Structures are given as C-alpha cells and as structure tokens.
Amino acid sequence: AEHQHIRYNPLRDDWVLVSAHRVKRPWQGQLEKPPPEDVPRWDPKNPLCPGATRANGEVNPKYEGTFVFPNDFPALQPDAPEPDDSDHPLFRAAPARGVCKVMCFHPWSDLTLPLMSLAEIRAVIDAWAELMTELGASYPWVQIFENKGAMMGCSNPHPHCQVWASSFLPNEVCLEDRTQRQHMSQHGVPMLLEYAEQEACRKERLVVENADWLVVVPYWATWPYQTLLLSRRHVCRLQDLSDSERDSLASIMQRLLIKYDNLFEVSFPYSMGWHGAPTGPYLGEDCRHWQLHAHYYPPLLRSATVRKFMVGYEMLAQAQRDLTPEQAAERLRSLPEVHYK
C-alpha cells in the first residue's frame, strides 16, 4: 500500500509496476474537458438516431429498442483479397477477413447504459448473445466492445457498441487462450473460475457482486479504476448464459456503471469488451480452459478532467500505476448505487 512493487498478471503473462507512493504527487499535466451534458435526445443529423440518414445514404428505421446494422466504415470485410507472398520472413502478411457491425443500445442519444432500465439492459445482452451466435457460427472470433466517451475515441455520443467478427484470433485472445490453457493443464481448474472464487473470499478488491456475478479491480490492474466482470459458474461463451444469469448480468452491469458515473459525477468514459471461448471451427473443440469475462478499462485517474496516459515507461518498458487496486476497489465499493443524476 505504501511502497513500489511489481505484480504478475497471469492472464497476460506479464507484470505491472505499482508505485503507490506517487499518488500524492501534484498534477500539472493536460486537463480533459468533461463530456457535454446537453446531448439532444434525437437529432436528425446524428447518423445513429432512428430515422436519420447514414453516410452511405441508408435511412435508419424508427427503432424503439436495440438496432444492429453493418458498419459503414468497416475495418474488416468478408471478401478482401489475399496478400502477396512474402520474399522474406521479416515481411510477413496473412489474410484478414471479417464483418463489422454497429449496435445501438437505445433510440435516445442522451441515455447511457447506467441510465437505462434493467429490461433495456437485458435487451442489449440478448442482442449481444444473438450476434455471438450468428457471427460465431462461421468466424473464429467475435469481439463485442464499447468505447464510451470522446477521450476513448468514441466519435458519437449515441449509446452504442461495435461487433467485429474476424477470420483470425487477435493477439490478446491468443495470449489469454495460451495462459488459460496452461493454467487448466497445471491446476485442473479454469484460471478465472479459481480467481473469482479467491476474490469472492478475500473481498479486498471486490466492487459489486450478486448470486451469479462479481466485479473486481483485478490484482494486476493497469488502469486506475479498471475492473473485471466474472461469472461465478463455469461458462465459456456469452450465448451460453441462462435467462436468470442474463437478468443478474443486467443488474450487476447497471450497479457497476452507476458507481463509475458517481465516482467523479460525470458520464464515465471507458473501453469495455467481452472475452469468451473462440467460435467458428473452435465450437467443436475442448475449450473448458476458457471462462467468460468482460474487461472495463476507464482512463480517468483523479477527477473528471485528469486521466491516466499510457506513455513513456508504459510504452517502452512495462505498465505502471500509482493508485493500488485495493484503494481503487475500496473507493468504488463505497460509492452509492443510486445515480447522481
């Protein structure tokens, strides 16, 4: 709690430097602008709104719940050509094909997930599971992710996420597959199932919990208020969740995100995403080493205007943080679960 040390991240097989004594240093760096509070509920010029015209000329339906459509500027396309053969091992390329979709959570632009009802959040979870099933039937990886807030690269305030399905397993996935497989081989239990049980008992990094889920600031957290959402049951994929588990997931997501907003009384920015067992050709393979989980990576450090930058030592050596995970968890845990608005 007082002195620097390094902590091991078994999920990524790397280390993070924790420098607890630096949390007291004065801040003279860049100040961010808090997100605008006056987002219009409906704007005909916003391409994500019901009835609006998107960049490709298509008009959105006047949807009343979730709405999924192909990304007008996809990073992956299903019919991309093969790259040329390499003439040297240091200049390798491989095919990359896929599908990119956008999913709007709600027709209103001035809402975010913590301000939505449990039924509306449950509808988002069901839509996620449907997309995982649909795209995962043929693609080995389906990445659901939400970038919330301008400082996390979100270009539109309308509540939405993205879903990218790829013909390959991305780097982070390959890494988590290797570490979880190795842990299962050595210890006979899925790594994150054992980790969830340990954190549920220790409680010092616990933020919120219910019968099916728990949220912790992981022991190896890199971002100041990073959290890990874990299932208590051994479940490999989002689409494998029962009805009751989806209901309790909606509840714990709402509780966590309300705490995030309450921390600095601002619409809290983050990048989040789901990780579960690969799909497509992996559906018929033994993936018991996988445990479904979601990562939340928020950048804010000490106020709504001061963020953590991953630069210098973090880019050139290894990840570093000042606030300890235990301190971050205690602060989040103590926050009310009624939204400040």
Side-chain angles (χ1 to χ4, degrees), residues 12-48:
R12 299 196 73 257
D13 189 24
D14 64 9
W15 295 80
V16 57
L17 171 62
V18 182
S19 309
H21 58 287
R22 276 167 49 90
V23 75
K24 300 174 183 177
R25 78 190 195 279
W27 180 262
Q28 292 183 327
Q30 176 173 322
L31 298 180
E32 304 289 336
K33 290 183 178 180
E37 297 282 348
D38 56 346
V39 176
R41 178 156 292 183
W42 183 82
D43 181 356
K45 297 179 181 178
N46 186 331
L48 298 187

Side-chain angles (χ1 to χ4, degrees), residues 7-16 172 174-180 182 191 220 318:
R7 296 190 183 193
Y8 181 63
N9 180 346
L11 195 57
R12 299 196 73 257
D13 189 24
D14 64 9
W15 295 80
V16 57
E172 290 295 313
C174 289
L175 188 54
E176 288 194 4
D177 183 73
R178 175 176 65 80
T179 57
Q180 290 180 99
Q182 184 176 14
M191 177 200 294
W220 53 80
Q318 71 180 37

